Amino acid sequence: MLELSKDGDNKNVDMLVGDIYGGDYPKIGLKATTIASSFGKVFKASKEERKNFREEDISRSLLYLVSNNIGQIAYLNAQAHGIQRIYFSGFFIRGHPVTMNTLNYAINFWSKGKIKALFLRHEGYLGAFGAFLRFSNRRRLSFSENFSLAQKIGGLQLSAVGALDVTPTNAKFPLLREKATYNPDTVDLSTDSKLQFYWIDLLDSNLKDLVNLVLTWQGETANAASRAAAFETIFRDHLQRLRKEPNAYGRLSIRSLLDLREQCLREMGFNDVFENVKKTENVAAVAQYARFVQEADALPEFERVGHLTDNVLAGNMYDWGAQTVQKLLLDGNLAFRSAKDRVAHPIKFDHLDALREKLVHGPAYKKAVIFVDN
């Protein structure tokens, strides 16, 4: 039935909001495609007409009916117990983006965006992990994925699943204001279609330039051109799938899109496309380090905070992945000094003055630690 549902169209079977109102019903935030009554058109049809309904359409409708019910029941239980995250797992979900997308939509709809639906990549091993941790003295463990032994992300596969390696555990940063609800993603793409298309289109338009960067920086290693072409095809196929079903692989975020791109690169044998440029830039950065520290030390404390913040932003610019930055890197025109000249302070995101005031004129802080991803 799950296989049948992939080729089905529920609007041939379900009664939709658009069938009743002739379009969206914005008064209560319902789109025309929202299901008003599962199997509503079957119910209204005559006995003879019911023979014309396709099994594929019926399967898709039933999938939505069951998934929406599971989503609502899960939401109600989460609400009753004060839970903010719901994890879904099982064969009904595994490798089936339509189910995942429906569950994500249902949780988001019923909770008005307050509760997240999450999906685990290695959920088939939860029982084994539980048994291991239950009887192991090594309770504080962390695992990372080793993609050299990855289940393929290309072709018919929907997600790459690497072998799990034990890694040293890092404790949560103890000074987070709310550890339980911390989310590193500052932009939520899961419900904003405009932002979804913007970022998917951006990564798509940058893809050709990224492939050129891969070939330029990696050098002519074994089959590099054919592997780079395969990466481009696989990643673009995933972007196409996400345009149709944005939450097919779980909650969509900028980070999840970049992770997906990284998985595709690794599958094609490109473990770190920026390795050579990092080495070059590190050598240049170390040579400048003493002078930069002297400049910072010479500044009054109030100015120093802004100076250091601009340095952090300039260093992070290398990781933006934007088309302009890629071109500057490829042409050799992005050095730390030139990057710093390009640092902007958009009003929407810039709280530098408040930070500076708090650090310099506020309580007597001895140190401030800034975390940057690179």
Side-chain angles (χ1 to χ4, degrees):
M1 287 178 70
L2 286 172
E3 286 301 310
L4 278 175
S5 70
K6 292 178 181 178
D7 299 316
D9 188 344
N10 74 302
K11 72 172 181 286
N12 298 325
V13 174
D14 295 335
M15 187 73 69
L16 308 181
V17 168
D19 295 323
I20 301 171
Y21 295 100
D24 294 344
Y25 189 36
K27 187 176 180 180
I28 54 173
L30 295 177
K31 295 181 179 179
T33 53
T34 303
I35 298 170
S37 173
S38 294
F39 291 94
K41 290 175 182 172
V42 179
F43 179 75
K44 290 183 71 176
S46 66
K47 189 175 182 180
E48 194 61 34
E49 288 172 332
R50 289 178 187 175
K51 297 176 183 177
N52 298 325
F53 290 105
R54 298 169 62 240
E55 288 186 345
E56 292 85 351
D57 298 339
I58 292 171
S59 294
R60 176 65 75 104
S61 174
L62 186 59
L63 173 68
Y64 283 157
L65 183 150
V66 173
S67 299
N68 279 315
N69 264 299
I70 291 173
Q72 188 181 19
I73 292 168
Y75 158 69
L76 290 171
N77 277 281
Q79 190 182 44
H81 296 283
I83 294 169
Q84 295 302 310
R85 296 184 181 93
I86 302 173
Y87 291 89
F88 292 97
S89 67
F91 183 77
F92 180 59
I93 294 166
R94 192 176 307 146
H96 202 263
V98 177
T99 313
M100 295 168 73
N101 204 48
T102 308
L103 288 169
N104 190 78
Y105 176 85
I107 295 298
N108 187 71
F109 176 83
W110 291 112
S111 72
K112 295 181 172 60
K114 292 180 180 178
I115 298 180
K116 299 176 182 178
L118 300 170
F119 303 90
L120 306 175
R121 282 219 288 248
H122 291 276
E123 48 81 23
Y125 298 95
L126 284 177
F129 268 127
F132 172 72
L133 294 173
R134 173 67 179 82
F135 296 101
S136 172
N137 292 325
R138 301 170 64 193
R139 290 293 177 86
R140 297 192 63 172
L141 293 172
S142 179
F143 297 86
S144 64
E145 285 182 290
N146 175 1
F147 284 92
S148 62
L149 302 170
Q151 177 181 325
K152 295 295 183 184
I153 197 171
L156 298 176
Q157 293 297 341
L158 297 171
S159 61
V161 179
L164 289 175
D165 290 338
V166 177
T167 57
T169 298
N170 293 319
K172 287 177 180 172
F173 182 49
L175 300 183
L176 282 173
R177 185 174 293 170
E178 296 179 24
K179 299 175 191 176
T181 59
Y182 173 68
N183 177 16
D185 297 313
T186 54
V187 181
D188 183 10
L189 304 185
S190 61
T191 56
D192 190 325
S193 58
K194 286 184 179 178
L195 274 178
Q196 288 167 2
F197 286 123
Y198 171 81
W199 280 98
I200 290 171
D201 289 345
L202 182 66
L203 288 174
D204 198 344
S205 63
N206 288 352
L207 197 48
K208 184 63 72 176
D209 288 333
L210 180 63
V211 169
N212 291 336
L213 285 176
V214 168
L215 293 175
T216 302
W217 290 342
Q218 291 281 302
E220 287 300 322
T221 53
N223 305 317
S226 60
R227 288 188 290 116
F231 153 70
E232 183 178 359
T233 300
I234 290 170
F235 187 54
R236 185 162 278 129
D237 285 347
H238 280 284
L239 293 178
Q240 282 293 98
R241 185 176 288 124
L242 288 169
R243 279 193 181 94
K244 296 176 183 176
E245 297 174 280
N247 295 300
Y249 305 156
R251 192 176 184 85
L252 189 68
S253 68
I254 298 169
R255 191 158 47 98
S256 70
L257 286 171
L258 295 176
D259 283 346
L260 181 61
R261 187 177 72 178
E262 189 68 22
Q263 290 170 30
C264 294
L265 282 166
R266 290 188 180 196
E267 183 185 327
M268 291 301 118
F270 301 111
N271 290 325
D272 184 357
V273 297
F274 302 106
E275 182 179 9
N276 292 333
V277 78
K278 282 177 185 175
K279 288 178 180 176
T280 303
E281 293 299 334
N282 281 345
V283 170
V286 169
Q288 299 178 60
Y289 180 72
R291 181 163 52 85
F292 269 90
V293 171
Q294 288 172 354
E295 286 179 7
D297 284 344
L299 292 171
E301 192 171 13
F302 199 78
E303 291 179 33
R304 190 184 305 146
V305 176
H307 173 75
L308 293 174
T309 303
D310 281 352
N311 284 357
V312 168
L313 293 171
N316 187 242
M317 199 176 290
Y318 291 89
D319 193 42
W320 280 3
Q323 209 161 11
T324 306
V325 173
Q326 287 184 1
K327 188 174 188 310
L328 288 168
L329 282 170
L330 198 56
D331 296 341
N333 293 328
L334 186 63
F336 190 79
R337 284 285 182 186
S338 61
K340 192 171 176 181
D341 291 339
R342 293 171 177 270
V343 172
H345 292 271
I347 295 173
K348 183 177 179 182
F349 300 108
D350 184 21
H351 302 287
L352 178 59
D353 288 341
L355 173 67
R356 201 156 36 186
E357 190 68 31
K358 187 174 181 180
L359 291 177
V360 179
H361 297 140
Y365 290 110
K366 293 182 179 180
K367 294 180 181 178
V369 182
I370 299 175
F371 287 85
V372 289
D373 60 353
N374 280 8

